[in-house]
Amino acid sequence: MKIFKLIVSIAALFVFTVSHAQQAKDSVKTYKKRVLETTEVDFLTSYYSQDGDNAAVSGGLGTEDLTDFTGTFVVAIPLNDDDVLTIDAGVSAYTSASSSNVDPFDGSEPADPFIASSGASSSDTWTNISGSYSHSSDDRNTIVSGKVSVSSEYDYFSLGFGGGLTKLFNEKNTEVSINANVYLDSWTAIYPQELRPFASGANGINNGFFSNYTITGNSNYNPIFNEFDDETRNSYSLGFGFSQILSKNLQGSLALDFVRQDGLLSTPFQRVYFSDIADSFIENFQLADAIEQLPDNRFKVAAGGRLNWYINETFVVRSFYRYYYDDWGINSHTASVEVPIKLTDRFTIYPSYRFYQQSAADYFFGYEEALSTDNYYTSDYDLSKYSANQFGMGVSYTDIFTKMHIWKLGLKSIDVKFYKYDRDTTFSSSIITAGFKFVVD
């Protein structure tokens, strides 16, 4: 009974406080600045290329050549003084010598892990559309947001949704945030061509596929293969953020993220070769002993911080560090620094450097290092031990008066950046990105 009375008393006090605050607000009319003054349109594009000699599709040995072109439109629409709706739609088209070797036996030339085939998996298009909504309180100290997204490609579909809450304190010098997201994904599993005849109910080595080729090496080819029963993957993330203005020249932030994944975490078309099974070949291509097998759950934790130092009107230093851990055995460290240099009122350049280092997953094995008796195995070098360096340079043009126009769109800024990334393996990549921000007159 005492607890019930206490709850009633607190509720009554809350109602009185809210009512009094509403009356005070109604009696004083104040000017309120809109969260977003006018509709903004961003066009983002990028061109990415990579290469290496450790393709997971061919068991850790083969070309990793891939190119990707992406275009994205982001439209932010102010619904009223407090609410903003943002629509994000993008398309990514890639060609990949690596994934083309899901089926390397196209007959155009001898199958080889270092040569692209012309199969259907040699290219694909990824599409995504998402919508987010944010509401800011009258004093702009509370922001509530929600998001829904859908993405799809030839063997994968994803539905995501989430939300966040941001609170500002101490005259907006302190910011605390929390966000949560859920992604519900499903595969349409595609397996290496030579394993498909060994699916349940198929006739294995007697399949007509093998009658068209001669198996060299171990002619008694008999892989370990079962199709996956569950082709779904669910991901749940929870993130916390804290930001503080430390002085007029210094601002810092901390972030802590948790991710839980369940379901099909293996990639169905990535081959594995065992050291205790004799090799079988068709032409120059080694036939898979099995496909990647990984646990059906994974827990990840990432903790990091940023420190931004405003030196003067010309130089700013932005530094970042993050530590990552997961229960597959990977530990990683990321450190980066970016130094924006303001050349004029409109032009800024952004030299940057990023270092990354990680340990190998417990289930990673290089080419022909796994045993057929192992429960889990992968030859995906993204899960191997490696370190990497990335160098970048960007340039930004800003026109706050939007003098340049395209139809009813005033150009507000242009950003172009280039990054070169190299691992201490054979893998390397480069990407160039460009962003154009417009405001609607």
Side-chain angles (χ1 to χ4, degrees):
M1 180 62 71
K2 290 181 179 180
I3 295 176
F4 176 75
K5 290 181 178 179
L6 178 61
I7 293 174
V8 171
S9 299
I10 293 173
L13 179 61
F14 175 76
V15 170
F16 171 79
T17 302
V18 171
S19 176
H20 179 75
Q22 184 64 46
Q23 291 175 8
K25 186 176 72 172
D26 291 343
S27 64
V28 179
K29 300 298 182 181
T30 59
Y31 170 76
K32 181 168 62 174
K33 181 177 175 63
R34 292 169 66 91
V35 176
L36 185 65
E37 292 294 335
T38 186
T39 298
E40 294 184 349
V41 179
D42 287 88
F43 173 65
L44 311 173
T45 185
S46 67
Y47 177 78
Y48 171 85
S49 64
Q50 70 173 49
D51 204 356
D53 299 324
N54 302 115
V57 172
S58 45
L61 182 68
T63 179
E64 296 178 81
D65 180 58
L66 179 147
T67 60
D68 178 272
F69 178 78
T70 301
T72 302
F73 279 100
V74 181
V75 182
I77 306 168
L79 303 178
N80 50 50
D81 288 352
D82 306 320
D83 302 319
V84 177
L85 174 66
T86 302
I87 306 297
D88 183 330
V91 176
S92 174
Y94 76 81
T95 59
S96 171
S98 172
S99 65
S100 74
N101 282 324
V102 172
D103 178 9
F105 311 107
D106 58 8
S108 60
E109 56 184 305
D112 191 296
F114 289 97
I115 298 176
S117 75
S118 59
S121 56
S122 62
S123 62
D124 189 28
T125 300
W126 173 87
T127 57
N128 174 78
I129 185 168
S130 65
S132 62
Y133 167 84
S134 68
H135 170 78
S136 298
S137 62
D138 288 339
D139 61 8
R140 302 298 185 250
N141 287 330
T142 303
I143 303 170
V144 180
S145 63
K147 179 179 180 180
V148 177
S149 66
V150 177
S151 60
S152 176
E153 54 185 312
Y154 79 107
D155 64 339
Y156 204 76
F157 177 83
S158 178
L159 172 65
F161 54 90
L165 173 65
T166 300
K167 296 285 290 184
L168 290 88
F169 306 94
N170 189 24
E171 298 182 344
K172 296 182 172 58
N173 289 322
T174 305
E175 179 180 307
V176 177
S177 64
I178 181 173
N179 62 81
N181 293 280
V182 176
Y183 292 94
L184 307 176
D185 307 335
S186 60
W187 290 89
T188 301
I190 297 175
Y191 301 101
Q193 176 63 50
E194 69 272 25
L195 294 181
R196 298 171 196 175
F198 292 90
S200 177
N203 54 351
I205 198 68
N206 296 317
N207 185 272
F209 166 78
F210 293 103
S211 65
N212 297 319
Y213 299 97
T214 299
I215 298 178
T216 60
N218 176 21
S219 58
N220 297 316
Y221 179 56
N222 187 28
I224 299 173
F225 177 65
N226 290 291
E227 295 176 310
F228 291 110
D229 295 328
D230 183 5
E231 296 185 352
T232 62
R233 171 189 294 175
N234 299 332
S235 302
Y236 314 91
S237 68
L238 180 65
F240 300 92
F242 172 79
S243 176
Q244 177 66 48
I245 296 177
L246 304 171
S247 71
K248 67 178 183 179
N249 293 64
L250 205 60
Q251 185 263 346
S253 63
L254 298 171
L256 180 63
D257 295 287
F258 302 93
V259 178
R260 170 77 182 189
Q261 292 182 296
D262 297 298
L264 179 53
L265 305 185
S266 306
T267 303
F269 52 75
Q270 295 189 168
R271 295 173 174 87
V272 173
Y273 300 116
F274 298 127
S275 61
D276 57 341
I277 292 181
D279 301 341
S280 300
F281 295 85
I282 289 179
E283 297 170 348
N284 299 325
F285 199 94
Q286 186 172 344
L287 305 182
D289 292 331
I291 55 172
E292 177 180 271
Q293 297 288 331
L294 292 169
D296 58 6
N297 57 77
R298 189 178 187 183
F299 181 68
K300 310 176 184 180
V301 180
R306 297 181 182 274
L307 191 64
N308 299 332
W309 179 27
Y310 175 83
I311 300 175
N312 54 40
E313 293 183 355
T314 303
F315 297 97
V316 177
V317 177
R318 298 172 179 168
S319 60
F320 170 75
Y321 171 78
R322 183 186 68 183
Y323 172 74
Y324 167 90
Y325 158 84
D326 68 31
D327 58 2
W328 284 8
I330 293 180
N331 294 268
S332 74
H333 302 271
T334 305
S336 68
V337 62
E338 183 181 65
V339 185
I341 304 171
K342 194 173 184 64
L343 301 179
T344 69
D345 290 341
R346 296 188 178 186
F347 287 95
T348 303
I349 60 172
Y350 297 85
S352 64
Y353 170 73
R354 177 178 179 269
F355 174 77
Y356 179 80
Q357 183 182 61
Q358 76 171 36
S359 61
D362 296 336
Y363 318 114
F364 172 77
F365 299 92
Y367 169 72
E368 289 202 331
E369 290 181 357
L371 296 173
S372 60
T373 53
D374 293 324
N375 291 322
Y376 300 114
Y377 34 77
T378 177
S379 293
D380 185 345
Y381 272 70
D382 287 344
L383 300 178
S384 70
K385 178 182 178 181
Y386 68 87
S387 60
N389 297 280
Q390 177 179 280
F391 296 90
M393 176 61 76
V395 60
S396 174
Y397 166 83
T398 303
D399 181 3
I400 60 174
F401 299 108
T402 62
K403 293 181 179 179
M404 185 181 299
H405 280 71
I406 299 176
W407 191 51
K408 294 183 179 181
L409 302 177
L411 179 63
K412 188 174 182 179
S413 65
I414 301 174
D415 291 279
V416 179
K417 294 184 178 181
F418 174 79
Y419 298 98
K420 184 68 172 67
Y421 173 88
D422 291 290
R423 294 182 185 174
D424 58 358
T425 63
T426 61
F427 184 90
S428 64
S429 69
S430 60
I431 182 171
I432 184 168
T433 67
F436 304 84
K437 180 182 287 290
F438 300 90
V439 294
V440 178
D441 291 343

